[in-house]
C-alpha cells in the first residue's frame, strides 16, 4: 500500500468542543478561485480562524473535508493519508488551559472523523509546555481513541529535542510504541515551536521563501545531531522520529560528516577530541542511529536514487504536503513522479511509497499488494 506521510488536517468543529472563553471562532467564506494545482482549480471554501480578535490561520476546504481529501488521495495514487495536526503554533502561544483543551478537543474530533475508515491514520496533538498533561493526554489519545502517532513542532522554548525536560514524554512514547512526527521541527537558532516568518527572524528577512526552502533541512540536521550526541537515542533505542518537508539529499552528507567528527581508532582532530573529553560517549557510529529516523523525500528530488546509494538501508518515506500550495507540496502528482524515476529500483520505489511508512506505523500488509491497483490502472 502507498502511504502519504505528510498531509494536514484541521477539523473545524473541534473548536466547538472547547469550553474556554478564549477559544475563538471560525468564519467560512467562498473560495476566491485562485488556488491552482498543475493548472486545475481546487474547489471548496476558505476557513479563517480568529482568536482574541486577531486572525490566527486561514486555509482551504481540503484541510477539514474528508471527502475532498479522499478524492485527491485517489487522484494521487495513495491508499492511506497520515493526518498531521496543522503546523501553526495554535496550541502553544495561548493560555495554558486553552492549549490543553484545544489538544483534547482536536484528538476527540479526529478520532470521531476517521472511526472505521482505514484510509486515514490519526495523529495526536499535545500541549507540549505542560509535559505532565501531555503524557496524560497522549496515553488517552492512543489507548482510548486509537490514534497512531504524535506530532511535535520541535523542542520547546530555547531547548531542542535532546532537552531532558522531554524525557518523561519520550518514556511514554516508547511505552506506547508510536512514532514521533516532526513537522515543522525547530528552526536553527529560533524558538523551537514556530515558523521564523511568524516571529520576525532577521535571518530570513527579505527572503520569504527561505524558511521552507532552507529552514526545515537546516533545522533537521541540528535536531538529528543533538538527538544522537545528546544520548537520547541510546536512552530510548526504540523511539522513531519522522522528519517532513526537509527533503532527503542532505542525509548521506550528514551521516558521513558526523562519523568524521567522532573520535575513533583512526583519530580525529585535536579540537574534536577536546570537545568529547568528559562527555558521555555514544554507543555506535552516528550514522547507525539513522535507523531510528524516517525522512520524507520530496518527489521532485530527481537525485533520489543517488541519495539511496549513500543510505542503502534507508528509511525514506514520501509526503505530498496536502493541501498546502508551497514548493514542497506535490499533490496530486506525487506517486507518478516516483514511479517514473528510471534510476530508482522497483524495490526502492515500493519502500519509499509505502513499505518504510508501513514499518514506521506498524502496519502489517501481509505481503499483499493493493487490491485497488487494478481499479486504478
Amino acid at each position: 500500500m502507498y502511504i502519504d506521510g505528510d498531509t494536514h488536517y484541521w477539523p473545524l468543529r473541534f473548536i466547538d468542543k472547547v469550553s474556554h472563553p478564549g477559544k475563538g471562532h471560525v468564519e467560512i467564506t467562498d473560495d476566491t478561485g485562485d488556488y491552482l494545482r498543475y493548472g486545475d482549480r481546487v474547489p471548496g471554501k476558505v476557513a479563517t480562524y480568529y482568536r482574541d480578535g486577531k486572525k490566527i490561520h486561514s486555509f482551504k476546504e481540503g484541510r477539514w473535508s474528508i471527502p475532498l481529501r479522499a478524492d485527491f488521495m485517489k487522484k494521487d495514487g495513495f491508499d492511506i493519508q497520515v493526518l498531521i495536526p496543522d503546523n501553526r503554533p495554535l496550541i502553544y502561544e495561548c493560555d495554558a488551559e486553552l492549549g490543553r483543551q484545544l489538544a483534547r478537543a482536536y484528538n476527540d474530533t479526529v478520532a470521531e472523523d476517521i472511526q472505521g475508515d482505514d484510509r486515514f491514520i490519526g495523529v495526536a496533538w499535545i500541549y507540549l509546555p505542560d509535559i505532565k498533561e501531555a503524557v496524560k493526554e497522549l496515553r488517552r489519545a492512543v489507548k482510548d481513541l486509537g490514534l497512531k502517532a504524535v506530532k511535535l513542532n520541535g523542542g520547546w522554548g530555547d531547548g531542542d529535542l535532546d532537552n531532558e525536560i522531554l524525557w518523561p514524554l519520550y518514556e511514554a512514547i516508547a511505552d506506547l510504541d508510536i512514532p514521533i512526527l516532526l513537522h515543522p521541527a525547530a528552526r536553527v537558532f529560533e524558538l523551537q515551536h514556530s515558523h521564523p516568518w511568524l516571529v520576525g527572524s532577521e535571518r530570513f528577512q527579505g527572503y520569504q521563501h527561505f524558511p521552507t526552502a532552507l529552514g526545515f533541512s537546516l533545522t533537521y540536521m541540528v535536531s538529528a545531531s543533538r538527538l544522537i550526541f545528546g544520548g537520547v537515542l541510546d536512552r530510548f533505542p526504540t523511539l522513531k522520529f519522522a522528519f517532513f518537508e526537509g527533503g532527503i539529499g542532505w542525509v548521506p552528507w550528514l551521516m558521513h560528516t558526523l562519523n568524521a567528527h567522532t573520535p575513533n581508532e583512526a583519530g580525529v582532530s585535536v579540537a574534536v577530541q577536546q570537545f568529547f573529553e568528559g562527555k558521555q560517549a555514544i554507543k555506535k557510529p552516528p550514522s547507525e542511529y539513522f535507523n531510528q529516523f524516517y525522512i520524507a523525500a520530496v518527489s521532485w528530488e530527481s537525485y533520489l536514487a543517488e541519495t539511496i546509494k549513500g543510505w542503502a538501508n534507508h528509511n525514506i518515506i514520501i509526503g505530498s504536503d496536502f493541501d498546502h500550495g508551497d514548493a514542497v507540496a506535490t499533490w496530486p502528482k506525487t506517486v507518478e513522479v516516483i514511479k517514473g524515476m528510471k534510476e530508482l529500483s522497483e524495490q526502492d520505489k515500493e519502500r519509499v511509497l509505502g513499505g518504510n511508512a508501513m514499518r514506521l506505523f506498524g502496519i502489517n500488509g501481509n505481503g499483499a499488494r493493493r487490491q485497488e491497483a487494478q481499479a486504478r490502472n
Side-chain angles (χ1 to χ4, degrees), residues 325-338:
D326 54 41
V328 184
T330 56
W331 60 278
K333 295 188 177 183
T334 309
V335 172
E336 69 177 59
V337 176
I338 299 296

Side-chain angles (χ1 to χ4, degrees), residues 17-61:
K17 298 178 184 291
V18 176
S19 62
H20 193 284
K23 67 180 183 179
H25 70 282
V26 175
E27 294 181 3
I28 299 177
T29 57
D30 290 332
D31 193 337
T32 60
D34 59 356
Y35 198 45
L36 302 175
R37 297 300 298 163
Y38 301 98
D40 295 328
R41 180 179 178 276
V42 179
K45 297 182 179 296
V46 177
T48 303
Y49 177 44
Y50 296 91
R51 195 166 65 206
D52 297 328
K54 298 179 180 179
K55 176 181 175 180
I56 302 295
H57 196 10
S58 183
F59 42 87
K60 302 291 184 177
E61 188 173 358

Side-chain angles (χ1 to χ4, degrees), residues 187-190 195-206 211:
R187 300 289 194 255
V188 179
F189 308 120
E190 299 295 340
H195 283 288
W197 59 71
L198 294 180
V199 297
S201 169
E202 293 182 1
R203 175 166 285 100
F204 299 113
Q205 282 184 2

